[in-house]
Amino acid sequence: MAKVVTLGEIMLRLSPPRVMNALHRPPVLMLITAVPKPNVAASLAQLGNNAAFLSKIPANAIGDAAIATLKSLGVNCQYIARGGKRLGIYFLENGASIRPSSVVYDRADSSVTQAKATEFDFDKIFNDVDLFHVSGITPVLSQDAADLTFSRTEKAKEHGVTVSFDLNYRAKLWTDHIEEKQQMLSDMMPYVDICFGNARDAAKCLAIQKTV
């Protein structure tokens, strides 16, 4: 089986029970679950691969619960850095009938947005690794997250690791500095072997327009 490393953020999900659906309907009883954002690592681990997850997670009980969730899915967590202020949070309102699902993010100053490349030994991490997978969500969270993603993508190529990149456009993360973010992701593409995305992702994340 393959040896895979993924980079991203794990978040705390808060949702009302199904019987209530909407967040604004009192009383709002929230279900609190540590949910791994890096579904790729969890899925590959469940298929028998050696899948490691890289991130920065606060050194508190909530961070411990998040890591325990990842480990329960077979994900290798030995390279996770501990520290920072908090886990990012998202509020999920499940859709019902013709009403779509809705997400509200509260992820400012989360631990991963303050992660530094110096907190990870990437020569050790990328040893004998087959694939490094990155989501386009991570580098647009902060300048530190952008620097970490870019430098580690370059480092992966130095070690001969195949790099996959999921553009994963999220409109709520692209409300400002759009041209700068597009240029940043475009600059990463020469180091990417496999890029996932549709026409909208290409247009929004890379400023690539369809031509006839």
Side-chain angles (χ1 to χ4, degrees), residues 136-168:
I137 290 175
T138 305
V140 301
L141 293 176
S142 69
Q143 187 59 54
D144 283 338
D147 293 341
L148 173 64
T149 306
F150 201 159
S151 63
R152 296 315 90 186
T153 301
E154 291 180 295
K155 193 70 171 179
K157 297 310 297 179
E158 291 177 12
H159 284 261
V161 177
T162 298
V163 175
S164 67
F165 197 101
D166 183 358
L167 293 173
N168 215 345

Side-chain angles (χ1 to χ4, degrees), residues 37-89:
K37 186 66 176 176
N39 294 324
V40 171
S43 297
L44 289 174
Q46 292 291 294
L47 292 171
N49 297 282
N50 182 347
F53 176 55
L54 302 182
S55 190
K56 187 171 183 177
I57 293 176
N60 56 31
I62 297 175
D64 293 343
I67 290 176
T69 299
L70 287 167
K71 287 182 176 180
S72 72
L73 296 169
V75 176
N76 180 353
C77 298
Q78 66 176 312
Y79 304 122
I80 291 175
R82 302 301 299 271
K85 297 180 179 179
R86 58 189 287 256
L87 276 187
I89 300 172

